[in-house]
Amino acid sequence: MIRRPSPLRPAIAGLALLAPALLGGCSTVVLSPAGDVAQQQGDLVVIATLLMLIIIVPVMALIAFFAWRYRQANTDAPYSPEWHHSTALELVIWAVPLLIIICLGAVTWTSTHLLDPYRPIGRIDATRQVALNAKPIRVQVVALDWKWLFIYPDYGIATVNQLAAPIDQPIEFDLTSADVMNAFYIPDLAGMIYAMPSMTTRLHAVANKPGNYAGFSSNFSGDGFSYMKFRFLAGTQSDFDAWVARVRASGAMLDRATYLKVAKPSMNHAPTFYSGVAPGLFDAAANNCTKPGQVCMDAMMRADAGPHSGAHAEGHAKNDDAMKMSAMPMPGSGKPEAVEATKITAKNSAQSTARLAGAGLPMPGDRRTF
């Protein structure tokens, strides 16, 4: 009897030849990143996969073994129609998955706390700890449509769509969004974290290898989402100092008026440098009060709390810069009509705050509700 070739063979052969081309665009950056935090997260993926393979590999092998051993043509295979229970088999079936779940739970629980994005990093890499007097590079991140604004408060500079930091030095990101929710992600540096309007999130990371790395938004945010990308430059301390000097040489000032122009929706925004930043700009963006006349969210909440706000806000610094910015005059507004408009704006802001505070009336019941 002549067997006809299976019609699936050409398709299987074609897929085998096409596989290298399909996999050519894949990247192993998650498993081989340039930062210690991302490396530890990649190790978690490997550990979890290996633990799950303890079940997957034997099950797949047993499926093939049973199909072969108990095929219809094998008349030598034992036939036990009355078999219904095996204590040893039950122990294996339940004990092995239980042990795997316990191991996964322990690894996940410890790693969740050790790799908490809000937790300052304790090590540079697997062999070096962070020095007790080490000062992190602070970066304030604002997600705009459709670009990223980076403010360096300790250096008084800002950039759009370009980020830099020295290697082997902790980086502390504070993130917010000026409009919709976004997700800040540099695969080589650390895991993804959301940037949300009217609130801030935090991320700690460190870069261990010099390079030019990709960063992008990993949360859909509208038409320009695909173009919401930036570059992260990691280098030596001298490289970073030279980069800071280049930014300062730009001579541009990121004041409130410039910020409002930059915040307008745009795609493929070229990297832009600012040698100066208006005080409190990030806090104003986080509290949604960058436009003239807007009441800052934190001021609004303190006003809503009324006479109880003092006890609740004890130990929390008041954002004076952001509050001042809500009534800050626009640059070049020395004309009489512009000055009068600014006075009206400030008056409206004060009246809004008074209304929110209930004009000084006590809260119902005169007791704390938080």
Side-chain angles (χ1 to χ4, degrees), residues 88-345:
L89 187 59
E90 290 285 346
L91 287 174
V92 172
I93 289 175
W94 291 103
V96 174
L98 180 60
L99 291 174
I100 292 176
I101 291 173
I102 292 173
C103 292
L104 275 174
V107 170
T108 302
W109 187 85
T110 55
S111 300
T112 297
H113 291 278
L114 290 175
L115 298 177
D116 181 356
Y118 285 76
R119 177 192 179 106
I121 61 174
R123 72 181 205 182
I124 299 299
D125 54 33
T127 60
R128 293 177 294 169
Q129 299 297 312
V130 175
L132 295 177
N133 60 346
K135 186 179 180 181
I137 298 292
R138 294 196 303 140
V139 184
Q140 297 170 333
V141 184
V142 182
L144 304 172
D145 288 339
W146 286 275
K147 62 195 81 70
W148 293 93
L149 172 64
F150 303 106
I151 301 173
Y152 289 76
D154 296 330
Y155 294 86
I157 60 174
T159 62
V160 176
N161 282 349
Q162 190 173 109
L163 173 69
I167 60 173
D168 298 336
Q169 186 167 344
I171 310 171
E172 179 184 292
F173 295 99
D174 287 309
L175 305 99
T176 191
S177 175
D179 194 353
V180 299
M181 183 172 71
N182 272 286
F184 178 80
Y185 190 29
I186 305 175
D188 272 286
L189 190 64
M192 178 189 72
I193 188 166
Y194 285 102
M196 292 170 278
S198 300
M199 65 176 293
T200 60
T201 53
R202 180 164 290 183
L203 174 67
H204 290 88
V206 63
N208 301 119
K209 302 175 184 176
N212 187 331
Y213 304 109
F216 52 88
S217 172
S218 53
N219 187 77
F220 181 75
S221 58
D223 294 340
F225 160 73
S226 300
Y227 304 98
M228 199 167 173
K229 302 176 181 179
F230 63 93
R231 303 304 299 184
F232 169 57
L233 310 178
T236 62
Q237 184 63 51
S238 59
D239 293 334
F240 177 69
D241 293 339
W243 180 83
V244 171
R246 189 163 64 252
V247 174
R248 285 176 173 165
S250 66
M253 176 66 181
L254 184 63
D255 52 23
R256 185 166 56 90
T258 304
Y259 170 83
L260 293 175
K261 291 178 181 178
V262 173
K264 292 180 179 179
S266 63
M267 303 181 191
N268 288 319
H269 196 288
T272 310
F273 298 158
Y274 299 96
S275 60
V277 184
L281 182 59
F282 176 79
D283 292 322
N287 285 284
N288 195 26
C289 58
T290 54
K291 296 179 180 179
Q294 287 181 313
V295 179
C296 295
M297 293 294 293
D298 55 353
M300 189 181 299
M301 289 185 286
R302 285 198 298 269
D304 281 338
H308 305 282
S309 61
H312 182 63
E314 186 177 355
H316 297 273
K318 294 184 178 180
N319 187 3
D320 294 330
D321 287 331
M323 294 177 68
K324 292 175 182 176
M325 181 165 287
S326 66
M328 185 185 299
M330 301 287 280
S333 58
K335 298 180 180 180
E337 58 271 20
V339 173
E340 184 62 26
T342 300
K343 291 180 180 179
I344 295 174
T345 295

Side-chain angles (χ1 to χ4, degrees), residues 80-91 94:
S80 304
E82 300 300 325
W83 182 90
H84 66 280
H85 179 73
S86 171
T87 302
L89 187 59
E90 290 285 346
L91 287 174
W94 291 103

